[in-house]
Amino acid sequence: MKIIPRRHYLAKIEHYFNRDTLIILTGQRRVGKSYMLRSLKAMLEADSSNHIIFIDKEKRTFDGITDYTELNSYIDANLRPGNKNYILIDEVQNIDEFEKSLRAYYEEENIEIIVTGSNSKMLSTELSTLIGGRYKEIYIQSLTYAEFLEFHNLEDSEDTISKYLIFGGLPGLLRTGLNEDDALEYQSDVLSTVLLKDVVMRNKIRNVQFLNNLVSYLADNTGKLISASNISKYMKAQDNTISAGLILNYLEYLQESYTIKKVVRYDIHGKRLFESNDKYYFQDLGIRNSLLRAKRALDIEKAIENSVYNHLIYLGYEVTVGQLNGKEIDFVAQRSGHDPVYIQVAYLIAGDETYRREFGNLKEIKNNYPKYVISLTPLLDSATDEGIKHISLRSFLLRSAPL
């Protein structure tokens, strides 16, 4: 398959070269971390003074590297002292005690290390202790809408934004094509692999059926406030008794695999975080929609909200759910050193009631920080009401710079 460079991430990686910093690319399986390494390899090979050591732990060629001693031996045999050596390791968490090797080599001169991993446990306390603060995690997401257009050679239109909201952004869809049955099969296979390798096997889960039910529940309730006790009550009503404590563990495992992201609530007036009732969004829209099957066409509002959340993360924001006087602000987004941004998300601003609800909630925030309503309504793209701006979803998802 042709490698299409994802320049946003390549620029981030290059930024940390020559800083004695270990670079770790994280994210859910099949979002394109391996292709990022291959893109990086191709870019680095353009300079003959660079030497690349590339280890892909998902290939049989490297089955013999099972622990850090074997990794050390392989690296030692392939280093070129007279060159700038770049050590690229895909799925490094599949090597026992890999962190010892990373510590040993990244401090040496003329060596840069870039690794990928599909589980946040690779950034464990042990790794943090060994490396200290001298590593940079770069979170790789599935394709943005702009990347989706580039990968599939499509033009921006109402039809293509609809495709994106349905199919999501797994790069592997370039191989399967945007045929609904083929895409659904591929997305289901990816989810099964993620759950098996990064959740069930890693955490020695026994109740796999409940895990599957939980993931489906989260897909059906994307963007809704959720608590472990409420999930427990729901499951009990389905004749499946599961404790709230076990549910919290399973939610944590899913977050560690980057399948879902938890968004906590923020009291806008009191400027504090709440400790219960969170929202969960999926890393990839297509993965989420594959769980809904026949229902996904009727679920457009949740898909839109999930897409806005994902793009805010891509743009570098920390995101919470706003609470103000009993009303909800969909997202409070903030970047370090910048003012917060308040965002409401809607499907269509089709009538006075919807308009009052989406714009009205934002009007109750008595400060001068930026406020936006994002929806699929194209004709409102330049509308402003008391400083609150409307942005069409297509315009927002094509943004490469923060609001």
Side-chain angles (χ1 to χ4, degrees):
M1 184 191 298
K2 177 184 176 182
I3 296 177
I4 300 175
R6 303 179 71 183
R7 300 166 191 84
H8 172 83
Y9 297 113
L10 287 173
K12 279 190 172 185
I13 294 168
E14 283 190 278
H15 179 73
Y16 288 96
F17 283 167
N18 302 311
R19 295 191 177 196
D20 293 327
T21 299
L22 172 66
I23 300 170
I24 304 176
L25 310 182
T26 59
Q28 180 191 284
R29 287 180 188 267
R30 302 295 178 262
V31 296
K33 300 188 303 297
S34 298
Y35 277 93
M36 282 302 309
L37 280 191
R38 294 189 185 111
S39 293
L40 183 62
K41 179 175 181 287
M43 183 184 75
L44 293 170
E45 285 175 337
D47 185 341
S48 60
S49 67
N50 295 332
H51 175 59
I52 317 300
I53 300 174
F54 192 95
I55 299 169
D56 185 350
K57 276 302 294 174
E58 293 205 320
K59 302 295 185 188
R60 289 185 299 170
T61 307
F62 300 101
D63 282 348
I65 303 176
T66 61
D67 62 26
Y68 79 98
T69 60
E70 293 161 342
L71 178 58
N72 289 349
S73 296
Y74 183 87
I75 292 173
D76 287 340
N78 287 277
L79 280 175
R80 289 186 186 172
N83 295 80
K84 178 76 171 185
N85 290 271
Y86 290 85
I87 301 171
L88 279 55
I89 309 175
D90 199 16
E91 299 298 344
V92 71
Q93 78 276 355
N94 294 330
I95 301 173
D96 290 339
E97 297 183 288
F98 67 87
E99 60 274 3
K100 293 182 178 179
S101 288
L102 302 188
R103 172 61 187 268
Y105 288 101
Y106 98 101
E107 291 185 325
E108 294 190 12
E109 290 187 7
N110 291 324
I111 290 180
E112 297 279 357
I113 301 177
I114 305 96
V115 304
T116 78
S118 299
N119 195 286
S120 64
K121 280 189 176 179
M122 67 179 295
L123 298 174
S124 62
T125 302
E126 185 175 2
L127 176 59
S128 297
T129 300
L130 283 173
I131 306 298
R134 294 170 293 180
Y135 67 84
K136 175 62 179 178
E137 178 187 1
I138 298 176
Y139 175 51
I140 308 295
Q141 298 173 259
S142 56
L143 303 179
T144 64
Y145 179 49
E147 290 174 325
F148 178 83
L149 297 178
E150 180 182 4
F151 267 58
H152 296 283
N153 195 25
L154 297 170
E155 296 293 329
D156 174 37
S157 68
E158 292 297 313
D159 181 60
T160 50
I161 189 65
S162 177
K163 283 184 168 65
Y164 180 68
L165 293 173
I166 291 173
F167 291 107
L170 291 180
L173 292 176
L174 183 61
R175 185 185 297 111
T176 67
L178 300 181
N179 172 276
E180 189 158 350
D181 291 337
D182 292 341
L184 187 60
E185 181 180 2
Y186 174 70
Q187 292 156 346
S188 297
D189 288 346
V190 170
L191 178 61
S192 296
T193 301
V194 170
L195 294 182
L196 176 62
K197 291 187 176 182
D198 297 322
V199 182
V200 174
M201 294 174 63
R202 182 171 294 277
N203 299 289
K204 299 179 174 59
I205 284 179
R206 297 180 184 178
N207 196 341
V208 177
Q209 182 59 51
F210 169 69
L211 175 67
N212 290 328
N213 290 342
L214 177 60
V215 176
S216 295
Y217 177 89
L218 294 172
D220 200 29
N221 290 276
T222 299
K224 292 184 178 179
L225 293 174
I226 291 173
S227 70
S229 60
N230 286 341
I231 296 175
S232 180
K233 291 175 184 176
Y234 172 81
M235 294 299 174
K236 187 174 182 180
Q238 307 298 313
D239 295 323
N240 191 352
T241 301
I242 302 290
S243 70
L246 187 59
I247 290 169
L248 287 173
N249 288 340
Y250 278 35
L251 289 171
E252 185 66 27
Y253 300 152
L254 289 168
Q255 291 173 74
E256 288 171 357
S257 71
Y258 300 101
T259 306
I260 60 172
K261 300 280 282 186
K262 180 172 78 171
V263 184
V264 300
R265 291 185 300 147
Y266 175 73
D267 182 352
I268 294 173
H269 178 71
K271 297 184 179 181
R272 62 185 178 89
L273 295 175
F274 291 97
E275 296 181 356
S276 62
N277 289 334
D278 308 304
K279 289 188 176 186
Y280 292 89
Y281 295 95
F282 279 72
Q283 197 287 145
D284 181 71
L285 289 171
I287 292 287
R288 174 192 174 268
N289 294 340
S290 71
L291 291 158
L292 300 173
R293 308 252 169 183
K295 294 173 62 177
R296 64 184 182 178
L298 305 174
D299 209 40
I300 186 67
E301 292 187 54
K302 295 176 186 176
I304 291 172
E305 190 171 321
N306 204 143
S307 73
V308 170
Y309 168 77
N310 287 346
H311 201 61
L312 286 169
I313 297 299
Y314 176 83
L315 294 176
Y317 288 100
E318 295 285 338
V319 182
T320 55
V321 176
Q323 295 285 316
L324 180 67
N325 302 325
K327 294 183 179 180
E328 183 177 296
I329 306 300
D330 289 326
F331 298 123
V332 180
Q334 187 155 16
R335 295 186 303 130
S336 178
H338 294 78
D339 293 333
V341 176
Y342 303 100
I343 298 167
Q344 287 287 85
V345 182
Y347 174 24
L348 294 171
I349 310 296
D352 290 342
E353 182 179 349
T354 308
Y355 188 95
R356 284 194 299 270
R357 181 178 68 246
E358 305 302 341
F359 281 81
N361 284 4
L362 292 173
K363 289 178 181 179
E364 293 198 16
I365 303 174
K366 304 303 181 183
N367 60 44
N368 294 321
Y369 297 144
K371 303 174 183 68
Y372 298 91
V373 174
I374 299 174
S375 84
L376 268 177
T377 311
L379 298 179
L380 278 176
D381 204 31
S382 59
T384 302
D385 185 344
E386 295 184 20
I388 301 168
K389 297 179 181 178
H390 177 271
I391 305 176
S392 74
L393 181 67
R394 284 166 56 189
S395 295
F396 173 72
L397 294 183
L398 287 172
R399 292 185 68 92
S400 59
L403 291 164

